[in-house]
């Protein structure tokens, strides 16, 4: 669009019973999908260690919304830090951290 | 640790300035059109009133007390006797006049509509979307009613006479709307209606587009120049303001004297004209205001607009001192890190030198030589910062008077470090630091081996040179952007500078097989390099010692170098015979001695250059630079020794080869006809996922492609390895086997969008063919070679294919250029911190480890994790899988 535009709110589709056993199907976890990277909730202790390691505030971390399906799946709350382990072309496996926000 | 997060601009609001605000920001009312009195002092309340800022050095501003340069200048104002229209808003005024009632100034929409539009505007604003579409619709709808729905007044058509005259049609006679009438109408518009037309009543009342007060820009914005004769010359803007004030005064006098309406109207129009041209001197329908000489005046909008305007000319791009630009040309005798600077440029460009106890004698010598005797000095700056030009007549005297603490501007001389640049500066290697070599003639000279990083050639390219002015800058340039620090590209971790073209052909000729050189020959070979000791000869023939070409190369390799790799000419045999390879494709270096293998592009070429890469990573960039210098010199000596030329007769192939080729092509055409026959009978078996038509096309393309390749093989076989084009293609110096095939064998299928040529007439490409002909020749197969010459139809098809190539490159460069611009803009502030994280300026983490693996690609081995492999290879001198 000419002049640029502000991105609108992202849409999250929340299916009823996403975390429940659907009729006639086995329950599934998003994390089992091979292109969804592994997400881990950090404990308070671990989180503060991460912040100390990089010498940063929580706010300086990349963000992720609570409504994001993976965060719903692992039950993250606003203010939590998640550790993401991605497969990387250069390093094999790479660690990322994100702050859960509203 | 205390961290401050930089403030962010939340919003920028644009609006109109009200007359009240103009008066408030004004420091003086300007009433006289005069500038300076007879004594040369600015007149109070005149156009050069000292309260509006100072331009003369020594004086102080009467408003802020700042000196010239400190005081930013202050606005004044002129009270216009009658309101005039601001041309920039002529269109808006027209739209508003047509959309509002001529009696009560109500927006001619019913309240429901107004509510609806207001709602839409507010939601669009909230989403940050443009509201133009809605307001345009408002204006369009509000123009329709013939009678005001609020006061019942009939509406009249409003005609516009460009640029700023509005006429109401009253029956058969026209009534001209004066700016004052318009202002009255605009004043009456209610705040609610203003919002519906997309304006903000607090920031931009519509009547403010009719000027009653004119701001007078500060003196600092329109400085007067004192000519050498002592005469003052005023800025174009001042001239225009003089006109405005004069007419304004005359208008007032005439009105007070009760002059007839006709004269008043004329003066009003004149005032309008002057205010219009003050804003914009290029309005269509208005003759531009001119200087006495006939030159059009440069007024406000001319200062901003266009290529030389404030935005494109002064803010996005600026000019710098201590820079030079000229055409480039090659000089293979220069070092790769040098740049040849024309003497005339070297004598113009200077480096500041501070006079100290240690260099005062040197400085005296520079001054004594004067400005016309390179390397001399052009200027002297005394300790009181007064600058004296060194001339032929005063140089002897100045050389004696020079004192410690003075500064001289010394001319550029050999060995100075300068920055060298070629646009477009797409990567960091587009600007590199070179050492100066002052040379005669008028072009910058550079070693052809540095062409790849600049992407330069010598078909008329120009390059820029910048002379560094401080010791810090020179030190930084030496350590960070000197050519030798940029041989390795941070893009892929390999050398971007290396041998090109003849350097590679020469090295190839010198090292292939067991070429032998006599003592005088090898000495000549190495004469341009820095080698001073000759190794033991390889053997003796008829009592005369001889050296091999490989030994010549061994001389320039650092001792202790161990390498093993397969050269580019390797044909990937099932079992590698290593040193005993028939093709001499296994390069083996032990302790700096080239034992086997041919040196070609993969060894020393730009972008590939395995040996260059290895030397830089093991012996440092200085040794790498020396190796490139030696290798290019040796390569050129080599190619000169063997002699190298290429002409049209080098594409000659024997008769039997031509017969073989035409037979082969004939067979291919038969096979294509056969395919078409099968297709026509409906017996063609479609490939999976394809239609029958697509299958036919694919099979024909495949058949013809195969045919062309085999003609290339035949041609290549008959040309032999001694052929210059073959040498260039095999060594990687220039050209490919495909180019050779097209020259000597067969040009092959011409394609548009990857398909055979189909466009043209209905059912056929050209009227030379039958409708529905699916054969090779009818769809752009060129069976001739460039040497044998193309038939008229082939020539036409070739032109079609060639044009597509040109269009593609043009489109690609513009698209990729814009893509890169956007990426650079988005990423330019990101920085790799010492802890390996990538962060922006606010300290927000973007990556927790740079590139996820924390590897600097420039220091990697061609961006691959091969460090251990390399260590094993250099210890064992064997290639490791």
């Amino acid at each position: 669009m000419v002049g640029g535009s502000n991105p609108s709110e992202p849409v999250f589709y929340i299916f009823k019973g996403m975390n429940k056993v659907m009729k006639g199907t086995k329950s599934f976890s998003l994390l089992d999908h091979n292109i969804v990277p592994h997400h881990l909730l950090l404990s308070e202790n671990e989180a503060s260690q991460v912040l100390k390691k990089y010498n940063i505030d929580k706010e300086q971390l990349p963000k992720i919304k609570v409504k994001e399906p993976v965060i719903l799946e692992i039950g993250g709350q606003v203010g939590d830090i998640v550790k993401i382990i991605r497969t990387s072309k250069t390093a094999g496996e790479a660690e990322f951290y994100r702050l859960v926000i509203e | 640790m205390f961290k401050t997060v930089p403030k962010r601009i939340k919003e920028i609001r644009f609006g109109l300035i009200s007359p009240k605000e103009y008066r408030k920001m004004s420091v003086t009312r300007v009433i006289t059109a005069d500038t300076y009195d007879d004594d040369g002092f600015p007149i109070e309340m005149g156009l050069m009133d000292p309260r509006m800022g100072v331009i003369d050095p020594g004086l102080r501003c009467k408003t802020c007390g700042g000196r010239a340069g400190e005081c930013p200048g202050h606005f004044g104002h002129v009270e216009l006797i009658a309101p005039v229209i601001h041309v920039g808003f002529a269109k808006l005024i027209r739209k508003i006049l047509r959309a509002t009632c001529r009696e009560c100034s109500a927006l001619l929409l019913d309240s429901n509509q107004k509510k609806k539009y207001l709602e839409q505007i507010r939601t669009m604003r909230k989403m940050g979307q443009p509201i133009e579409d809605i307001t345009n619709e408002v204006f369009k709808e509000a123009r329709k009613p013939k009678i005001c729905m609020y006061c019942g007044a009939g509406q009249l058509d409003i005609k516009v006479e460009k640029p700023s005259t509005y006429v109401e049609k009253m029956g058969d006679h026209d009534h001209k709307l004066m700016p004052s009438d318009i202002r009255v109408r605009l004043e009456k518009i209610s705040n609610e209606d203003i919002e519906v037309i997309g304006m903000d009543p607090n920031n931009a009342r519509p009547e403010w587009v009719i000027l009653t007060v004119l701001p007078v820009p500060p003196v600092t914005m329109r400085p007067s120049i004192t000519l050498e004769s002592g005469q003052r010359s005023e800025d174009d803007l001042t001239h225009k303001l003089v006109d405005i004030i004069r007419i304004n005064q005359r208008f007032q006098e005439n009105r007070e004297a009760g002059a007839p309406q006709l004269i008043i109207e004329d003066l009003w129009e004149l005032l309008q004209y002057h205010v219009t041209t003050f804003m914009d001197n290029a309005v269509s329908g208005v003759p531009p205001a001119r200087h006495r000489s006939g030159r059009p005046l440069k007024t406000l909008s001319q200062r901003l607009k266009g290529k030389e305007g404030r935005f494109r000319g002064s803010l996005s791009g600026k000019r710098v001192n201590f820079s030079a630009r000229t055409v480039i040309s090659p000089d293979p005798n220069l070092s790769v890190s040098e740049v040849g600077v024309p003497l005339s440029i070297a004598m113009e460009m200077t480096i500041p030198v501070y006079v100290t106890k240690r260099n005062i004698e040197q400085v005296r010598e520079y001054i004594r030589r004067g400005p016309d005797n390179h390397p001399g000095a052009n200027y002297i700056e005394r300790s009181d910062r007064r600058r004296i030009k060194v001339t032929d007549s005063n140089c002897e005297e100045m050389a004696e008077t020079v004192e410690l603490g003075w500064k001289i501007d010394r001319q550029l001389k050999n060995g100075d470090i300068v920055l060298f640049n070629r646009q477009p500066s797409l990567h960091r290697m587009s600007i590199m630091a070179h050492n100066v070599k002052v040379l005669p003639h008028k072009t910058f000279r550079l070693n052809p081996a540095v062409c790849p990083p600049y992407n330069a050639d010598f078909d008329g390219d120009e390059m820029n040179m910048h002379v560094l002015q401080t010791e810090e800058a020179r030190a930084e340039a030496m350590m960070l952007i000197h050519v030798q620090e940029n041989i390795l590209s941070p893009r892929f971790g390999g050398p971007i500078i290396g041998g090109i073209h003849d350097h590679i052909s020469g090295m190839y000729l010198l090292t292939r097989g067991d070429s032998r050189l006599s003592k005088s020959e090898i000495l000549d070979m190495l004469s341009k390099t820095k080698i001073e000791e000759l190794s033991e000869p390889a053997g003796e023939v008829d009592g005369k010692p001889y050296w091999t070409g490989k030994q010549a190369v061994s001389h320039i390799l650092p001792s202790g170098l161990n390498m093993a790799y397969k050269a580019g000419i390797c044909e990937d045999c099932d079992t590698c015979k290593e040193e005993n390879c028939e093709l001499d494709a296994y390069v083996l270096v032990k302790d700096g001695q080239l034992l086997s293998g041919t040196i070609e592009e993969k060894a020393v070429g730009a972008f590939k250059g395995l040996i260059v890469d290895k030397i830089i990573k093991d012996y440092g960039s200085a040794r790498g630079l020396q190796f490139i210098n030696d290798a290019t010199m040796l390569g050129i000596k080599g190619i000169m020794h063997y002699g190298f030329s290429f002409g049209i007769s080098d594409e000659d192939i024997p008769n039997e080869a031509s017969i073989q080729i035409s037979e082969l092509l004939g067979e291919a055409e038969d096979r294509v006809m056969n395919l078409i026959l099968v297709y026509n009978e409906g017996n063609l078996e479609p490939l999976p996922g394809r239609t029958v038509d697509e299958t036919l096309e694919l099979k024909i393309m495949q058949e013809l492609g195969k045919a062309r390749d085999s003609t290339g093989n035949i041609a290549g076989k008959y040309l032999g390895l001694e052929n210059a084009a073959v040498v260039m293609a095999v060594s990687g110096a220039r050209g490919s086997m495909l180019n050779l095939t097209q020259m000597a064998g067969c040009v092959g299928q011409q394609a548009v969008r990857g398909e055979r040529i189909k466009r043209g007439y209905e059912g056929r490409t050209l009227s030379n063919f039958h409708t529905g002909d699916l054969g090779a020749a009818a769809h752009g197969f060129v069976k001739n070679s460039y040497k044998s010459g193309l038939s008229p139809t082939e020539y036409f098809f070739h032109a079609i294919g060639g044009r597509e190539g040109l269009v593609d490159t043009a489109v690609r460069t513009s698209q990729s250029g814009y893509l890169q611009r956007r990426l650079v803009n988005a990423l330019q502030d990101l920085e790799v911190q010492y802890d390996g994280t990538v962060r922006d300026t606010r300290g927000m983490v973007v990556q927790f480890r740079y590139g996820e693996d924390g590897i600097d690609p420039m220091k990697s081995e061609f961006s691959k994790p091969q460090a251990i492999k390399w260590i094993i290879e250099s210890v064992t001198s064997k290639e490791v899988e």
Side-chain angles (χ1 to χ4, degrees):
Chain A
M1 206 171 297
V2 180
S5 57
N6 290 335
S8 50
E9 282 282 297
V11 185
F12 295 113
Y13 295 101
I14 299 170
F15 302 107
K16 258 188 200 165
M18 195 163 68
N19 296 314
K20 294 177 196 153
V21 181
M22 276 196 275
K23 217 177 183 183
T25 60
K26 276 186 176 177
S27 90
F28 65 92
S29 164
L30 272 179
L31 296 166
D32 292 343
H33 196 282
N34 66 332
I35 62 166
V36 177
H38 202 69
H39 287 64
L40 268 175
L41 265 185
L42 293 190
S43 70
E44 207 133 296
N45 194 11
E46 289 168 319
S48 64
Q49 265 177 16
V50 167
L51 296 179
K52 207 177 152 199
K53 179 179 169 193
Y54 293 105
N55 190 23
I56 50 173
D57 298 334
K58 261 186 184 179
E59 289 301 309
Q60 285 169 288
L61 288 171
K63 315 284 188 296
I64 190 166
K65 293 208 168 180
V66 254
K67 279 192 259 173
E68 196 80 50
V70 237
I71 300 301
L72 291 176
E73 179 100 15
I74 59 170
Q77 299 297 314
V78 174
D80 287 349
I81 294 175
V82 281
K83 177 177 180 176
I84 303 161
I85 300 163
R86 298 195 183 130
T87 52
S88 158
K89 272 186 189 172
T90 52
E93 253 183 19
E95 287 177 5
F96 276 78
Y97 300 94
R98 281 176 172 225
L99 175 70
V100 179
I101 56 161
E102 231 165 297
Chain B
M1 191 172 58
F2 181 72
K3 257 187 209 152
T4 47
V5 177
K7 283 183 182 161
R8 301 218 139 197
I9 295 171
K10 196 173 161 205
E11 61 175 26
I12 300 173
R13 194 175 291 153
F14 291 96
L16 301 169
I17 303 185
S18 69
K20 225 163 124 190
E21 233 173 304
Y22 276 138
R23 292 191 189 100
K24 216 170 103 190
M25 72 189 215
S26 162
V27 290
T28 179
R29 189 180 160 190
V30 180
I31 48 170
T32 48
D34 303 315
T35 49
Y36 296 94
D37 63 19
D38 297 335
D39 304 326
F41 286 108
I43 293 169
E44 292 262 318
M45 296 186 91
L47 270 174
M48 288 292 166
D49 191 301
R51 279 171 293 187
M52 286 194 284
V54 281
I55 41 168
D56 310 279
L59 292 180
R60 276 185 183 274
C61 170
K62 282 203 175 165
T63 303
C64 66
R67 261 190 281 264
E70 295 168 354
C71 163
H74 314 277
F75 275 91
H77 77 281
V78 174
E79 292 285 346
L80 296 174
I81 294 310
V84 287
I85 284 159
H86 188 309
V87 261
F89 296 105
K91 239 187 197 154
L92 181 72
I93 294 172
R94 185 185 71 194
K95 281 198 270 189
I96 295 177
L97 283 180
R98 283 175 175 167
T100 52
C101 171
R102 59 187 303 268
E103 290 291 334
C104 67
S105 287
L107 184 64
L108 295 175
L109 292 172
D110 61 50
S111 50
N112 281 336
Q113 274 177 304
K114 284 183 187 174
K115 224 168 154 185
K116 189 188 85 189
Y117 285 125
L118 197 58
E119 196 102 323
Q120 285 183 10
I121 288 173
R122 281 183 180 155
T123 49
M124 287 305 257
R125 280 234 173 92
K126 216 188 249 165
M127 294 193 297
Q129 300 282 336
I131 55 164
E132 262 72 56
D133 290 350
I134 303 164
T135 53
N136 281 338
E137 202 185 314
V138 170
F139 284 123
K140 213 172 108 192
E141 287 301 312
R143 209 183 151 175
K144 283 175 182 165
K146 290 276 166 259
I147 294 161
C148 173
M149 54 280 271
Y150 297 98
C151 70
Q155 300 301 315
L156 298 173
D157 272 353
I158 290 172
K159 265 200 320 195
V160 182
E161 282 164 19
K162 284 222 158 154
S164 51
T165 313
Y166 302 89
V167 178
E168 257 185 343
K169 267 199 140 156
M170 276 182 170
D172 16 300
H173 80 281
D174 289 353
H175 168 66
K176 189 179 161 194
L177 288 174
M178 299 314 283
S180 49
D181 306 333
I182 299 169
R183 196 163 205 276
V184 169
R185 285 195 194 179
L186 298 181
E187 276 167 359
K188 280 192 290 187
I189 304 176
S190 68
N191 279 356
E192 292 75 44
D193 285 354
I194 288 173
E195 268 191 86
V196 181
I197 57 171
M199 291 169 78
D200 175 3
N202 300 313
N203 263 314
R205 284 283 319 176
E207 66 264 25
W208 297 344
V209 302
I210 313 269
L211 300 166
T212 55
V213 179
L214 184 76
V216 176
V219 195
T220 41
M221 186 174 145
R222 42 186 178 89
S224 56
I225 314 156
T226 318
L227 298 172
E228 276 176 37
S229 57
Q231 239 184 343
R232 272 187 185 270
S233 174
E234 296 299 333
D235 191 89
D236 282 4
L237 278 187
T238 313
H239 280 295
K240 206 63 236 173
L241 285 165
V242 168
D243 292 339
I244 292 170
I245 294 166
R246 288 237 170 92
I247 297 303
N248 200 39
Q249 267 172 348
R250 227 163 86 201
F251 196 167
Q252 189 177 21
E253 285 156 14
N254 273 289
R255 195 150 73 175
E256 278 163 7
Q261 184 63 23
L262 214 64
I263 292 179
I264 296 284
E265 262 178 42
D266 273 1
L267 283 171
W268 201 339
E269 223 157 86
L270 201 56
L271 185 67
Q272 177 72 57
Y273 167 77
H274 284 309
V275 173
T276 300
T277 49
F278 174 70
M279 307 284 181
D280 184 355
N281 202 12
V283 188
S284 64
V286 178
R290 285 169 194 281
H291 205 254
R292 253 169 298 162
S293 62
R295 168 180 67 85
L297 292 172
K298 237 184 150 188
T299 51
L300 287 176
S301 118
Q302 274 69 48
R303 284 193 177 193
L304 311 177
K305 261 186 200 157
K307 200 172 172 189
E308 251 129 65
R310 203 78 333 135
F311 295 103
R312 279 174 71 191
S314 318
L315 293 164
S316 304
K318 298 190 184 87
R319 300 189 164 263
V320 290
N321 289 328
F322 305 106
S323 64
R325 178 185 176 92
T326 184
V327 177
I328 52 166
S329 50
D331 186 344
N333 295 314
L334 288 174
S335 158
V336 166
S337 64
E338 279 177 328
V339 58
V341 179
L343 182 67
S344 50
I345 287 179
M347 286 171 62
E348 198 72 43
M349 313 211 68
T350 57
I351 287 180
V353 177
Y354 292 91
V355 183
T356 62
K357 255 186 247 165
R358 267 175 294 159
N359 68 8
I360 190 155
E361 278 315 314
Q362 259 180 60
V363 166
R364 286 215 167 99
E365 181 55 29
Y366 286 131
I367 302 171
R368 207 169 286 129
R369 295 179 73 93
D372 301 323
N373 200 358
H374 182 82
N378 288 356
Y379 270 96
I380 295 177
E381 196 177 301
R382 300 194 316 202
S383 28
D384 61 359
R385 304 208 62 203
R386 253 197 62 181
R387 287 171 68 80
I388 302 159
K389 194 170 167 59
V390 180
T391 58
D392 256 345
S393 48
N394 74 357
C395 60
E396 287 290 341
E397 178 197 341
M398 291 315 302
E400 295 311 313
T401 49
V402 72
E403 283 173 28
L404 298 185
W406 291 19
K407 195 187 91 184
I408 67 158
D409 285 341
R410 185 208 89 192
Q411 288 173 353
L412 207 59
K413 61 169 192 172
N414 284 357
D416 283 334
I417 191 160
V418 293
L419 299 189
F420 203 43
N421 161 236
R422 180 181 176 274
Q423 283 100 354
S425 312
L426 293 176
H427 54 191
R428 51 192 252 188
M429 289 79 76
S430 288
I431 303 177
M432 288 191 289
H434 287 249
N435 296 101
V436 169
K437 176 111 184 179
V438 180
L439 294 174
H441 309 305
K442 292 181 172 172
T443 55
F444 283 133
R445 251 57 56 81
L446 53 106
N447 188 310
V450 269
C451 284
Y454 291 117
N455 194 18
D457 49 40
F458 304 108
D459 60 4
D461 290 25
E462 291 182 58
M463 284 180 74
N464 307 316
M465 186 186 78
H466 297 267
V467 178
L468 301 169
Q469 296 291 306
T470 63
E471 223 47 77
E472 291 93 327
R474 282 189 286 271
E476 210 167 73
M478 275 302 271
M479 297 171 79
L480 298 174
I481 44 183
H482 194 263
V483 174
Q484 75 180 41
E485 308 305 325
N486 283 290
I487 298 171
L488 295 184
S489 165
R491 192 174 81 213
F492 55 87
I496 193 171
I497 300 171
I500 56 169
H501 306 174
D502 283 2
H503 306 143
I504 293 166
S505 306
M507 286 296 244
Y508 177 78
L509 292 174
L510 197 61
T511 54
R512 71 170 171 181
D514 56 355
S515 54
R516 292 180 177 189
L517 302 161
S518 70
K519 185 166 185 183
S520 65
E521 281 170 342
I522 193 164
L523 284 177
D524 177 51
M525 249 356 72
L526 296 169
S527 61
K528 286 273 179 185
T529 65
K530 294 272 184 293
I531 309 304
E532 283 166 0
E533 238 168 277
L534 196 60
S535 63
E536 290 298 313
E540 271 185 34
V541 173
D542 303 336
K544 284 182 181 165
Y546 72 87
W547 282 261
T548 64
K550 289 189 175 66
Q551 273 183 300
V553 175
S554 300
H555 279 94
I556 63 170
L557 294 172
S559 58
L561 182 76
N562 290 316
M563 282 188 83
Y565 68 92
K566 290 186 189 109
I569 52 172
C570 170
E571 284 182 352
D572 289 321
C573 319
D574 291 334
T575 49
C576 186
K577 291 185 192 138
E578 306 200 334
E579 292 103 299
N580 304 319
C581 177
E582 293 98 19
L583 295 161
D584 203 12
Y586 188 78
V587 179
L588 182 66
V589 178
K590 260 189 189 166
D591 192 22
Q593 296 297 311
L594 179 64
L595 298 180
S596 79
T598 314
I599 301 298
E600 34 65 88
E601 197 192 9
K602 208 172 164 190
V604 293
F607 302 110
K608 301 216 174 97
L610 286 176
I611 298 183
V612 179
D613 188 49
K614 176 89 175 167
I615 290 177
I616 292 171
K617 278 160 190 163
D618 287 1
Y619 297 84
S621 56
R623 186 68 185 85
L625 182 82
Q626 199 207 320
F627 175 73
I628 292 174
N629 274 329
D630 289 345
T632 54
M633 301 289 175
L634 184 62
I636 287 168
K637 278 288 178 186
I639 201 169
M640 291 201 305
H641 174 70
Y642 289 98
F644 199 73
S645 72
F646 183 66
I648 191 134
S649 59
D650 284 298
E651 293 152 5
D652 282 341
I653 44 171
N655 239 345
E656 48 182 299
S658 319
I659 293 166
Q660 270 187 42
I661 287 173
S662 63
E663 268 173 15
L664 205 130
L665 289 173
E667 282 164 29
E669 273 183 333
D670 287 347
R671 279 198 296 274
V672 168
M673 292 316 290
N674 226 358
L675 277 170
I676 295 168
L677 203 73
V678 176
Y679 167 80
N680 283 338
E681 286 166 353
N683 292 333
L684 194 68
E685 200 58 48
L687 292 167
R690 303 274 182 180
T691 64
V692 185
D693 291 345
E694 285 170 351
T695 309
L696 178 70
E697 281 298 313
L698 270 170
K699 289 204 158 161
I700 292 176
M701 292 272 277
Q702 208 180 9
E703 201 60 68
L704 295 175
K706 250 193 308 196
R708 188 197 51 194
D709 291 344
S710 13
T711 64
N713 290 338
I714 294 169
K717 207 165 67 196
Y718 281 96
L719 289 176
L721 281 173
E722 287 306 312
N723 183 282
V726 177
V727 168
M728 289 192 283
V730 167
S731 65
R734 196 76 223 239
S736 60
M737 281 319 277
L738 176 70
N739 294 143
L740 257 172
T741 302
Q742 290 194 323
M743 286 191 288
C746 160
V747 173
Q749 180 67 49
Q750 299 301 308
V752 171
R753 302 186 140 200
E755 289 179 331
R756 298 203 296 161
I757 292 169
K758 291 210 184 93
R759 44 189 77 181
Y761 299 98
E762 203 170 303
R764 54 182 171 174
T765 50
L766 282 173
S767 48
N768 304 48
F769 306 104
H770 291 288
T771 315
D773 186 352
L774 287 169
H779 287 274
F781 184 72
V782 180
K783 63 182 198 181
N784 279 303
S785 66
Y786 288 130
K787 174 77 197 301
S788 66
L790 273 55
S791 77
T793 50
E794 286 175 341
Y795 186 87
F796 182 73
F797 291 131
H798 185 254
I800 294 176
R803 172 65 65 91
E804 195 201 34
L806 290 180
V807 171
D808 270 12
T809 42
V811 171
R812 259 208 310 276
T813 45
S814 66
Q815 281 183 349
S816 64
Y818 184 43
L819 180 68
Q820 167 164 20
R821 205 184 130 79
R822 291 185 316 221
L823 280 173
V824 169
N825 265 329
L827 302 174
Q828 60 187 356
D829 293 329
L830 302 186
E831 194 179 3
V832 182
Q833 307 293 331
Y834 284 111
D835 65 354
T837 59
V838 179
R839 304 193 192 186
D840 68 6
T841 44
R842 290 177 301 160
M844 305 281 279
V845 177
V846 177
Q847 273 185 342
F848 287 88
R849 244 169 115 70
Y850 171 68
E852 298 181 348
D853 55 3
I855 284 177
D856 176 357
M858 189 166 166
K859 283 159 189 145
S860 71
E861 273 79 40
F862 285 87
S863 302
K864 286 181 199 110
Q866 287 188 317
I868 292 169
K869 189 181 153 195
W870 276 43
I871 293 168
I872 297 170
E873 280 180 0
S874 63
V875 173
T876 61
S877 285
K878 276 266 150 47
E879 194 178 16
V880 183
E881 286 308 316

